[in-house]
Amino acid sequence: MDFAVAREKMVESQLRTNRVSSSLILGGFETLPRERFVPGTLESIAYVDEDLPLGDGRYLMEPMVLGRLLEAAEPVAGDSALVIGAGTGYEAALLSQVVGAVVALESVPALADRMEALLDDLGCVNATVARGPLQDGWPASGPYTVILFVGAIEVLPEAIKAQLAEGGRLLAVQREGPIGRAKLYRRDAGYLSARVLFDAGTPVLKEFAKPPAFVF
């Protein structure tokens, strides 16, 4: 399979046609070998327009959804980013090509190990792998001007909100019942606001699922 052709088709048919126009973001999608971040059995479909399972409840995010989230984040070279539920590191690698520093947080040891090897092999020297509970974020390197969840959430912990810097942008697909809505949170003058961007069917990160309701 010609992965370079597949990357070009992904950019042209899934991203440019869906309001992703940043040359920096599109350039990352055009050059980063997405097929290396999925299990070997999924390499041939690495560029399809859907979420791909990585194991242990992690997914490689659908290109269109990821592209639109990154577009809304408006990342720049001076930003520091936190990627939560980073899996094998594709989303962190994309951000590392644009921002100054990236912390990729993962709690599954095997995925974190693979991510570290991939980021090192691809020369993402400004990306650091952090291992720990996703719900805690990674305050040691915060605050962050960009926070990205690689997966949908039903609950947004206060601990993670607190790690968003003034002027920072937090991107997440937030599940509200059966509907997932991509949202952009911003912190301005100490106040956190939220805006709905679009609907998305992204799978929920189990660490951010609502506890089951008690039924009498």
Side-chain angles (χ1 to χ4, degrees), residues 8-29:
E8 183 179 352
K9 287 182 177 178
M10 174 188 68
V11 168
E12 295 302 321
S13 64
Q14 299 178 44
L15 302 176
R16 291 189 189 275
T17 58
N18 283 289
R19 305 179 188 176
V20 182
S21 59
S22 165
S23 59
L24 290 174
I25 293 168
L26 290 173
F29 277 102

Side-chain angles (χ1 to χ4, degrees), residues 152-183:
I153 63 173
E154 293 177 335
V155 177
L156 178 55
E158 292 297 325
I160 292 176
K161 290 181 186 178
Q163 293 169 44
L164 187 64
E166 180 67 21
R169 293 85 67 202
L170 183 152
L171 290 304
V173 175
Q174 196 151 11
R175 187 67 64 89
E176 299 165 350
I179 300 172
R181 291 188 169 95
K183 290 186 178 181

